[in-house]
Amino acid sequence: MTVIMGILNVTPDSFSDGGLWFDGDAAIRHAEGMVARGADIIDVGGESTRPGAPRVAISEEHRRVLPVVRELVARGITVSVDTMNASTAAAAVEAGAAIVNDVSGGLADPEMDDVVLGTDARFVVMHWRGHSDVMVDNARYTDVVAEVAGEIELRAAQLIVKGVAPERLILDPGLGFAKNGPHNWAVLAHLDRLTALGVPVLVGASRKRFIGELRPGSTRVEERDFASAVVAALAAANGVWGVRVHDVSGTRQALDVAEAWSRGRIEG
């Protein structure tokens, strides 16, 4: 069964829902609602990674993220922390987070590898070529599928050589990060290049710009939820471990259909 990772942005400036869950109590209520609707993991992030987003001071990231992580863990919810900062990752794991979801795959902070080595948390290795202010300039490929798969595999191998157990790693192709629309669709159409590596794969397509480009006239990001759920179902059918989404309810329904379809193929 494909895991659903519900997105909880405790930021004022996320591209999708910035400010909605900035208040701690609102964030907790929203997280509980996502779990009730079918989320298996709540991914808590305190820094926007949209193209062009400014960096956030580490002390501010701690202030935003850690109280929410502690409260969710206390309520029995499995938590992932979305951070590029080693100190935030370490503090969140100490507070009970089970996964460190680093959009840089550990490349943004040279101390992140030591944090991963020093904890039992799982680690998301995302494909990354630079921070938000330069990612658009880095969207240059000769063969996007081969290059993305190769760069993720190299980064995972570096962590394994350092001593991180392979079963603790999760791979993420980094849709929207240093990739334009055609790049994203090519990577999605060839997810088998990643799943063939034998490491769990996480896909985060929810509400991203390339989804919105399918309907140029739409302006509200919520209008991308249906297409995002379709992508999640197709990704599940192609063997991914998990999907990271905003709309948990719609995604849960889409995954239920995909899983029933797969069972029918086996049992038929």
Side-chain angles (χ1 to χ4, degrees):
M1 180 177 291
T2 303
V3 167
I4 294 179
M5 181 181 283
I7 299 168
L8 182 60
N9 293 313
V10 286
T11 64
D13 58 348
S14 167
F15 83 94
S16 173
D17 52 8
L20 288 178
W21 322 118
F22 195 42
D23 173 75
D25 290 339
I28 299 300
R29 289 194 299 272
H30 182 55
E32 290 188 316
M34 286 193 287
V35 171
R37 293 189 291 274
D40 303 287
I41 301 164
I42 299 299
D43 191 42
V44 182
E47 178 177 14
S48 175
T49 53
R50 76 185 192 283
R55 298 303 309 276
V56 171
I58 294 176
S59 59
E60 174 62 14
E61 186 184 36
H62 283 208
R63 189 192 69 78
R64 295 176 181 181
V65 167
L66 297 181
V68 176
V69 171
R70 292 190 190 99
E71 185 60 30
L72 294 181
V73 170
R75 298 185 185 206
I77 295 172
T78 301
V79 174
S80 168
V81 60
D82 176 3
T83 183
M84 291 183 281
N85 294 311
S87 67
T88 304
V93 172
E94 185 176 355
I99 300 172
V100 175
N101 180 17
D102 182 350
V103 299
S104 79
L107 296 175
D109 188 333
E111 296 181 6
M112 184 64 84
D113 288 5
D114 290 337
V115 170
V116 178
L117 283 167
T119 72
D120 293 327
R122 302 187 75 179
F123 186 65
V124 178
V125 181
M126 201 189 84
H127 179 260
W128 188 78
R129 285 186 166 184
H131 287 289
S132 298
D133 58 343
V134 298
M135 70 166 69
V136 175
D137 296 331
N138 291 330
R140 297 190 180 93
Y141 302 89
T142 300
D143 183 335
V144 64
V145 174
E147 290 173 54
V148 168
E151 290 169 26
I152 294 178
E153 187 173 11
L154 174 61
R155 181 63 186 131
Q158 290 171 340
L159 290 165
I160 292 169
V161 167
K162 287 187 175 184
V164 179
E167 58 268 22
R168 289 177 54 205
L169 300 179
I170 300 165
L171 308 182
D172 183 337
L175 299 174
F177 288 79
K179 298 170 192 68
N180 60 29
H183 293 151
N184 293 316
W185 291 115
V187 169
L188 283 169
H190 295 88
L191 283 173
D192 58 308
R193 291 290 294 273
L194 290 179
T195 57
L197 298 175
V199 179
V201 174
L202 174 68
V203 166
S206 181
R207 294 184 179 177
K208 290 189 174 176
R209 181 179 300 175
F210 77 99
I211 298 287
E213 289 170 352
L214 295 173
R215 297 183 62 199
S218 62
T219 57
R220 296 173 60 249
V221 291
E222 293 86 352
E223 295 178 12
R224 304 172 186 177
D225 283 344
F226 182 80
S228 298
V230 173
V231 171
L234 291 171
N238 280 273
V240 304
W241 166 83
V243 290
R244 182 177 181 273
V245 303
H246 298 86
D247 175 24
V248 170
S249 180
T251 302
R252 181 70 273 164
Q253 293 179 62
L255 293 187
D256 287 346
V257 170
E259 287 158 10
W261 191 297
S262 295
R263 287 196 302 272
R265 182 181 294 115
I266 294 170
E267 297 168 1

